[in-house]
Amino acid sequence: MDCLFCKIIQGEIPAKIIYEDEFTMAFLDLYPNSEGHTLVIPKKHCVDFTDADLATAQQVVTAKKAVVEMLHKKLNPVGFNFVSNQGSEAHQVIFHYHEHIIPKYMKELGYSPAVSPDPKARDTETIFQIIKK
């Protein structure tokens, strides 16, 4: 398998690992949006969140919680952004499920989600009816 994150898990590629358990690993992002920007990944290869089974998703959430507590204690950010991109249209670059934990120290600095509504999007009531059918 030619997966960058699988190679990190196998120890073939170095990473700044700050958390690891039987099922997950967390390491600092090589291209951080802020100090402490961390990626949490399952050791089991899954392409994205949808590809992960429920047990794997729960293991990632458990690790994510532990990492957030660690970063909060050690770096004292005032908030966090949690991001997981799924699919190339959503800017997923590495196709191994991962969650970004991005500490925030100031609202204007670091990661900031850009909001640009789709002018062709259907109204909320229409979408609600489609989902509920």
Side-chain angles (χ1 to χ4, degrees), residues 8-9 15-28 36 38-43 58-71 101:
I8 290 172
I9 293 164
K16 304 285 188 208
I17 300 166
I18 65 168
Y19 176 90
E20 184 172 8
D21 63 26
E22 181 181 354
F23 305 107
T24 64
M25 178 181 283
F27 47 87
L28 297 178
T38 302
L39 303 177
V40 179
I41 65 170
K43 289 183 177 179
Q58 290 170 329
Q59 292 156 356
V60 169
V61 168
T62 298
K64 190 172 158 182
K65 177 85 169 138
V67 171
V68 167
E69 290 171 0
M70 177 193 318
L71 294 173
I101 299 172

Side-chain angles (χ1 to χ4, degrees), residues 9 14 29 41 48-49 54 58 70 101 108 124:
I9 293 164
D29 194 304
I41 65 170
D48 52 34
F49 178 77
L54 184 57
Q58 290 170 329
M70 177 193 318
I101 299 172
E108 296 78 20
T124 306

